[in-house]
Amino acid sequence: MRADRVFAYGAAAGLLGDLLLGDPRRGHPVAVFGRAAHAVEQRLWRDDRGRGALHTAVCAGGAVAVGALASRAVRRSPAASVALTAVATWSVVGGTSLAREARTVGRALRAGDVEAARARLPHLCGRDPQALDADGIARAVVESVAENTSDAVVGALVWGAVGSVPGLLGFRAVNTLDAMVGHKSPRYRRFGWASARLDDVAGWPGARLTAVLAAAAGGDPRGALRAWRADAAQHPSPNAGPVEASFAGALGVRLGGTLSYDGRIEHRPVLNGEGRAVEVGDIERAVRLSRRVSWLALAVSAAARSTVAGRRS
């Protein structure tokens, strides 16, 4: 069986597995990687970019190596190769958990239980929930759904199309390292620099594909593209900007603005300023758009890999 078909069948099975099963309650492979990365950090940490780069290389390189060795072990069996790709895809994508958490917050808001929504919001993002009212929580959820559609699903599929199982595991490792050490706290300002920059590079293609597919699958393609062109570059993140702007335009809502992280106030640019304020019902709309984008990303990634394989043969 050709490698492109192995990826297509395996990734589709893995994405379907995520839809039906979600993440395991215990022993999630990403959590196992996180514990290993933390152990490596404990040995390597210094307030130094070089040590941080070494930490990134050891952890991300280790994930890629595991994927390469596993792929090599099953390369003679098409069925085992498809199964490995399916398990790897299921392990690294997180669309179902993303949707579940977003809907949980949405249900609390619809019930008028703002405190319950605040308590659940940290499962989605690092905002200070006590600084947000109901509308602010809804906006934070929609922004998180948009950004994590790229980080938790589309980016992984793109790198899976490029590098099969090693690409899938490598992307998730890089993304996880950024979440662990890539923020600008006193401890990680230098040590996490390499992880943050590598995540920007690895996330670049998936973010642009997510933005394109959100425009195609949303209710207002022109509005999505207009918001992307006009507002994305003003966002402090090179990858979250296009994704959130495109989602904002596609949904007809206004994202961005003032927010709080760890007691620090940030004034983000407004994305799709022509849109209306986010409402609770927009959480479900964002989740459904995320689902459509995820399956379209699978189709595009599989088709791209098949086209490349066809030209080589």
Side-chain angles (χ1 to χ4, degrees):
M1 185 184 295
R2 284 185 358 187
D4 59 311
R5 293 180 181 174
V6 169
F7 170 72
Y9 299 156
L15 203 59
L16 184 61
D18 176 65
L19 178 65
L20 296 176
L21 304 175
D23 292 333
R25 298 294 182 184
R26 297 180 179 178
H28 195 292
V30 174
V32 173
F33 170 82
R35 289 193 292 271
H38 179 70
V40 174
E41 177 193 337
Q42 295 298 102
R43 291 182 173 273
L44 293 181
W45 187 90
R46 296 287 187 280
D47 190 16
D48 178 76
R49 284 188 176 185
R51 283 298 189 102
L54 178 59
H55 174 256
T56 301
V58 169
C59 296
V64 172
V66 167
L69 290 172
S71 296
R72 183 178 179 83
V74 301
R75 70 185 186 280
R76 297 185 184 279
S77 170
S81 296
V82 170
L84 177 64
T85 303
V87 170
T89 302
W90 168 77
S91 298
V92 303
V93 300
T96 293
S97 292
L98 174 64
R100 181 186 300 124
E101 294 297 339
R103 284 169 169 157
T104 298
V105 176
R107 283 194 296 271
L109 291 176
R110 285 195 299 274
D113 193 345
V114 177
E115 287 304 316
R118 285 176 177 149
R120 200 69 187 181
L121 186 62
H123 289 78
L124 274 173
C125 62
R127 312 263 178 103
D128 291 336
Q130 298 305 319
L132 298 173
D133 59 11
D135 291 341
I137 293 172
R139 191 192 82 194
V141 171
V142 171
E143 290 172 353
S144 296
V145 168
E147 184 175 0
N148 283 294
T149 299
S150 176
D151 288 344
V153 183
V154 180
L157 293 173
V158 168
W159 283 102
V162 172
S164 300
V165 171
L168 287 164
L169 299 187
F171 175 81
R172 176 52 61 222
V174 170
N175 192 248
T176 302
L177 288 172
D178 178 60
M180 292 177 66
V181 305
H183 39 88
K184 296 180 180 180
S185 67
R187 177 178 175 86
Y188 295 125
R189 188 175 300 276
R190 294 185 180 87
F191 185 83
W193 179 86
S195 290
R197 297 292 77 75
L198 183 58
D199 183 66
D200 287 343
V201 173
W204 196 95
R208 273 71 194 169
L209 179 58
T210 302
V212 169
L213 296 179
D220 186 359
R222 290 184 179 180
L225 294 174
R226 182 174 60 249
W228 180 4
R229 288 195 302 266
D231 302 326
Q234 302 176 60
H235 197 285
S237 168
N239 294 329
V243 173
E244 291 184 18
S246 186
F247 261 70
L251 296 170
V253 299
R254 184 171 63 251
L255 299 178
T258 302
L259 50 84
S260 175
Y261 282 104
D262 297 324
R264 184 183 71 256
I265 301 297
E266 291 187 15
H267 299 285
R268 296 277 180 88
V270 173
L271 306 175
N272 192 39
E274 299 177 1
R276 58 174 173 76
V278 175
E279 300 171 353
V280 175
D282 294 316
I283 293 176
E284 180 62 28
R285 296 176 63 224
V287 168
R288 291 179 180 177
L289 178 57
S290 175
R291 287 286 194 204
R292 294 194 295 271
V293 167
S294 297
W295 286 102
L296 285 173
L298 172 64
V300 170
S301 299
R305 178 158 183 145
S306 179
T307 299
V308 172
R311 289 177 178 175
R312 290 175 177 173
S313 61

